[in-house]
Structures are given as structure tokens and as C-alpha cells.
Amino acid sequence: MEGHWETGSGVPLLLFAFPDEAAETNRYAFGIPKGASLLLEHTLEGEVRGLKDVAPEDRPPVAPVFFSFRIMVGIGLLMFFVAWLGVMYIWRGVYLQKRWFLLSVVAMTPAGFIATLAGWYVAEIGRQPWVVYGLMRTADAVSPISAAQVWSSLTVFVIVYSALFVAYLFYLLRIIRQGPGTDVTSVDHSAIEKPLSPATHGRPAFLPTEDE
């Protein structure tokens, strides 16, 4: 995940790089000085083991793990930023006037799915070539079934999940076209400034009451 080839102290936290597995080096790398040592060893001069300390046949593919980890973390930070920005705008009662923010929230819809997939790539590719580290390799754990059986089961999975995904998109777009159940332009923005006002009995004031 860190993409460091050489063992050393005071190792930087790489924000971006192109891992070159053939040359066992990184190209166009830049990062935070001593950040990896601080993050992993809790000291600026902590020693971080490099990939060269592991035999090439025992390493996972470096680039997919390196980039998937950064996609996962990057999307996670972006989700936190958008969420806190939304809290601020709701508290100030101006979220309906921030069209760019509302569009950005829509654009963030698949963010959680993408981050989860990236995390799976990190975990599943990153553990290669082992099923149980140091004890059983993936090649030794393969089930004794034919390639045709694998392809047939995979095809069924793809068809079923594709159908479910299309149904999900159809239902989601239908709800979006219907729009909110109430006229959002008539929301009392003075109440939004105090979302947990006692007048709402602990109920967020920006949500409609039964009378509304």
C-alpha cells in the first residue's frame, strides 16, 4: 500500500507515484516527508520495511494495491468534506441556494460503492500470493473445477447482478423524477438555524411535521 521499495528511516508518505515493478522503483513520486514513518511507527525516524525485503515471488502486484488504496482514502476524505459542508450549509439555512453543492451531492452518489470496491481490491490483491500468509498459497487453494464451470457460474452472477443493478437504477431514477414530497421552497429557514429547537420536541426542525 505504501509503495516503498527500500527499507529506511524517516520514510515519506507517498501521495502519488507510478510504481515500476520491473525496475523496483517509483516514478514521479511525491509525498509528505517522514509521513510514513510517523504514521506506521509513530516517530519521525521510524524504520519502514521496503518491498525489496520480500522475495519477488512473495509480493502482490504493487500498482493495483497502491492506487486502489489511494482511491479508497481519497474518496473517503472527499465524502467527509461534502458531509461537513452540508452540515454547515443546513445550519446556516442556505443549502437550497447552493445549487453547485446540491449537484455535487448527486455526483457523490456512487462514491461509497467505488470506495468499497477499491478497499476490496486492496485486501484481496494485497494478500496475494497467500490465502493464509506463510502457510498456504492461492495456487494451492484453487478448487479442482474446470475453467468452463468457472465461466458458467461467473456468467450467471453477472447476468443476475446486472439485472438487479438495472432495476435499482430504474427505481432510483423514478424516485428522483417524482421529487420531494413537499415544496422545499416553502421550508421555514429560520427554523433550520436551530435544527434541534425544543419547539420541535427533539425533532430536526427542517423536517416537515405531521400537520405539514
Side-chain angles (χ1 to χ4, degrees), residues 2 4 8-13 32-48:
E2 299 302 326
H4 292 292
S9 302
V11 177
L13 177 64
I32 301 173
K34 303 186 178 184
S37 291
L38 180 62
L39 182 65
L40 299 174
E41 300 298 330
H42 312 297
T43 172
L44 291 175
E45 299 300 330
E47 183 179 85
V48 177

Side-chain angles (χ1 to χ4, degrees), residues 6 47 56 64 76 81 115 120 130-131 137 178 193-194 196-197:
E6 304 285 350
E47 183 179 85
F81 174 75
W120 282 344
W130 303 100
V131 172
R137 288 179 175 268
Q178 289 177 350
E193 296 178 359
K194 299 179 180 179
L196 295 179
S197 171

Side-chain angles (χ1 to χ4, degrees), residues 109-118 168:
T109 300
F113 297 102
I114 298 173
T116 299
L117 287 173
Y168 162 74

Side-chain angles (χ1 to χ4, degrees), residues 4 14 23 32 60-62 79 90 118-119 131 134-135 145 147 153 156 165 167 187-188 192 194 204 207:
H4 292 292
L14 295 179
I32 301 173
V62 178
M79 292 170 69
I90 290 175
V131 172
L135 296 177
I145 58 177
S153 61
V156 172
F165 183 65
V187 174
D188 182 5
I192 295 176
K194 299 179 180 179
L207 296 177

Side-chain angles (χ1 to χ4, degrees), residues 62-92:
V62 178
V65 178
F66 182 85
F67 288 117
S68 295
F69 180 72
R70 278 147 186 78
I71 291 172
M72 178 185 68
V73 173
I75 291 178
L77 293 175
L78 184 61
M79 292 170 69
F80 273 116
F81 174 75
V82 172
W84 281 110
L85 195 61
V87 169
M88 182 186 69
Y89 284 153
I90 290 175
W91 186 265
R92 292 173 57 189

